[in-house]
Each structure stands twice: as structure tokens, then as C-alpha cells.
């Protein structure tokens, strides 16, 4: 069996598995890179790294229309529950079991607030294991020793790293993070959506493949990688 990773732009991904699809940070309807039909996206699980609107996006309406469960840090999960979604409140800690594999919520160096400006719990990254592959979605983060810890302790195979700067890692910082993570593949994300996070992704690819042992996989919005 294989799984497929589809990029929707910004930090939004769908991972399709034989047990159903997983949505991560589904910022879609307000995402200038997303041109698909949201009604055709029918996940079994939605995972959120933090509460900012460019990450929660369409999570609540998708959860309500499909019955998917939103797994998120405790405060954010309760916020989604109050809006009518099925939720699975978690915190940074132990590994969570799903039909498709496992998820571990880990720290990210970032803030987190709801669209109304209320505290949304801590920001997180997420480590998934699907069919023996470890997939690390770094969420919104700045450079911190936590990234080195993830590389040393968990040894991810695939890393989704923000590179746009301003609010998250920029290219220089993402390159250092990639060296610490030492994954086989780096997938850049959180760039070119808005003017402050415009960057040259091909320049980043050159740096990654010149200075690390990783391969940089640039996925255009709505393109997929199959494993």
C-alpha cells in the first residue's frame, strides 16, 4: 500500500492513505494558491498546528460537513468544539494512535491565537508515522533547539519546513533546521502566499542540495508525491 501527499499551498497538506485522508492546517478558501473544490475533500482526520486563521482555515466547516475529527492542542480543540466540530484535544506528550498510523504533537517556536484574538494554546509541530515513514510538519516556527532534538531523537524521513521568513523560518534559518533534522526529503512550505513571505524556492532547493544530505522536493499547489 502507498500513501500520497498533496500540497494545497501555504502550510496545507492532504495525506491520502488506504484508511482515509488526513488534512493538516487546511487554509483553503482564503488561500490564493488553492483552486480546488473544498466539498470534494473528505478527510477522516484534521490536524492543526496552531490557532492562527491561516492554519485553522476551513477546518471547522470541513469537520462539520464530513464528520472528521479535529485533533489539536487542548485550548484550540475546545474552541473548535464550541463551533460545532468533533474534536480530540491533545497536548505535547505521548504518541496518538489512529487507523492510518500515529501522530505526536511536538513544540514549535511561535504564537497562537484564534481569529477572535483569544489564546489558542501553544503552537506545535506534528510528527506522523504512516506505513513506516516518519513525516514531520514543522508548523509555524522560528529556529530553536527543538528542531535539533527532533532530528536526533525521531529521525524523520520527510520534513515540511516553512521558508518564507517574517513570521517563520527564513531560508537561512530553514537551511540550519534542515541540517539538524537530517531528513531524506525536505518539502518547503509557508512561502509566496502573501508579500511578506515571498522568497525564491529554487534558491532554497539549491542550498539544501548543496549543503545538506537531503533532497528538496518542491511541490506546486495541487501537485502530489506518492510513496
Amino acid at each position: 500500500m502507498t500513501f500520497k501527499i498533496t500540497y494545497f499551498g501555504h502550510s496545507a497538506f492532504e495525506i491520502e492513505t488506504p484508511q482515509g485522508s488526513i488534512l493538516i492546517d487546511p487554509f483553503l478558501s482564503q488561500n490564493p494558491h488553492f483552486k480546488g473544490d473544498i466539498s470534494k475533500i473528505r478527510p477522516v482526520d484534521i490536524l492543526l498546528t496552531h490557532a492562527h486563521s491561516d492554519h485553522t482555515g476551513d477546518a471547522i466547516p470541513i469537520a462539520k460537513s464530513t464528520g472528521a475529527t479535529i485533533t489539536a492542542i487542548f485550548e484550540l480543540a475546545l474552541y473548535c468544539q464550541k463551533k460545532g466540530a468533533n474534536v480530540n484535544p491533545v497536548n505535547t506528550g505521548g504518541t496518538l494512535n489512529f487507523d492510518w498510523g500515529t501522530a505526536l504533537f511536538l513544540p514549535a517556536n511561535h504564537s497562537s491565537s484564534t481569529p477572535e484574538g483569544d489564546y489558542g494554546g501553544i503552537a506545535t509541530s506534528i510528527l506522523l508515522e504512516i506505513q513506516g515513514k516518519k513525516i514531520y510538519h514543522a508548523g509555524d516556527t522560528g529556529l530553536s533547539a527543538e528542531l535539533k532534538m527532533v532530528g536526533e531523537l525521531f529521525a524523520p524521513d520527510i520534513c515540511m519546513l516553512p521558508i518564507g521568513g517574517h513570521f517563520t523560518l527564513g531560508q537561512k534559518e530553514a537551511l540550519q533546521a534542515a541540517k539538524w533534522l537530517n531528513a531524506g526529503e525536505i518539502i518547503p512550505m509557508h512561502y509566496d502566499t502573501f508579500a511578506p513571505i515571498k522568497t525564491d524556492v529554487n534558491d532554497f532547493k539549491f542550498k539544501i542540495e548543496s549543503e545538506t544530505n537531503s533532497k528538496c522536493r518542491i511541490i506546486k499547489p495541487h501537485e502530489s508525491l506518492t510513496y
Side-chain angles (χ1 to χ4, degrees), residues 60 64 75-87 118:
I60 293 169
K64 290 169 70 173
E75 292 83 355
L76 176 54
L78 294 188
Y79 169 83
C80 295
Q81 186 178 57
K82 288 178 182 178
K83 300 286 186 178
N86 298 322
V87 300
D118 298 322

Side-chain angles (χ1 to χ4, degrees), residues 187-200:
I187 299 173
M189 66 175 184
H190 206 278
Y191 67 95
D192 286 2
T193 318
F194 313 110
I197 60 172
K198 290 281 186 182
T199 195
D200 185 342

Side-chain angles (χ1 to χ4, degrees), residues 35-206:
K35 307 300 181 186
D37 183 349
I38 294 176
S39 68
K40 293 183 179 179
I41 299 175
R42 304 196 62 83
V44 294
D45 286 291
I46 300 170
L47 309 181
L48 299 179
T49 61
H50 65 290
H52 289 160
S53 60
D54 60 326
H55 293 263
T56 58
D58 299 277
I60 293 169
I62 291 173
K64 290 169 70 173
S65 67
T66 64
T69 298
I70 296 175
T71 299
I73 217 73
F74 185 82
E75 292 83 355
L76 176 54
L78 294 188
Y79 169 83
C80 295
Q81 186 178 57
K82 288 178 182 178
K83 300 286 186 178
N86 298 322
V87 300
N88 178 25
V90 299
N91 219 305
T92 54
T95 299
L96 310 171
N97 294 309
F98 296 88
D99 289 342
W100 42 261
T102 64
L104 174 61
F105 280 68
L106 294 164
N109 186 17
H110 196 66
S111 61
S112 179
S113 57
T114 69
E116 291 83 3
D118 298 322
Y119 176 61
I122 63 171
T124 63
S125 54
I126 308 172
L127 180 74
L128 309 178
E129 185 164 352
I130 301 173
Q131 298 178 25
K133 286 276 191 182
K134 295 179 183 177
I135 306 162
Y136 180 62
H137 188 295
D140 274 8
T141 192
L143 194 63
S144 78
E146 301 286 356
L147 293 161
K148 188 174 185 180
M149 177 272 292
V150 172
E152 292 177 351
L153 190 59
F154 299 109
D157 300 294
I158 303 163
C159 289
M160 302 156 174
L161 277 184
I163 68 165
H166 196 91
F167 301 104
T168 69
L169 299 166
Q171 284 200 30
K172 179 180 177 181
E173 295 79 16
L175 177 62
Q176 181 59 60
K179 291 176 180 178
W180 284 342
L181 289 160
N182 196 32
E185 298 182 26
I186 301 293
I187 299 173
M189 66 175 184
H190 206 278
Y191 67 95
D192 286 2
T193 318
F194 313 110
I197 60 172
K198 290 281 186 182
T199 195
D200 185 342
V201 69
N202 290 305
D203 183 48
F204 179 69
K205 176 181 173 69
F206 176 79

Side-chain angles (χ1 to χ4, degrees), residues 203-221:
D203 183 48
F204 179 69
K205 176 181 173 69
F206 176 79
K207 291 173 183 174
I208 287 290
E209 297 186 349
S210 298
E211 300 183 37
T212 78
N213 297 319
S214 304
K215 182 176 179 61
C216 185
R217 304 292 297 272
I218 298 172
I219 317 178
K220 295 179 180 179

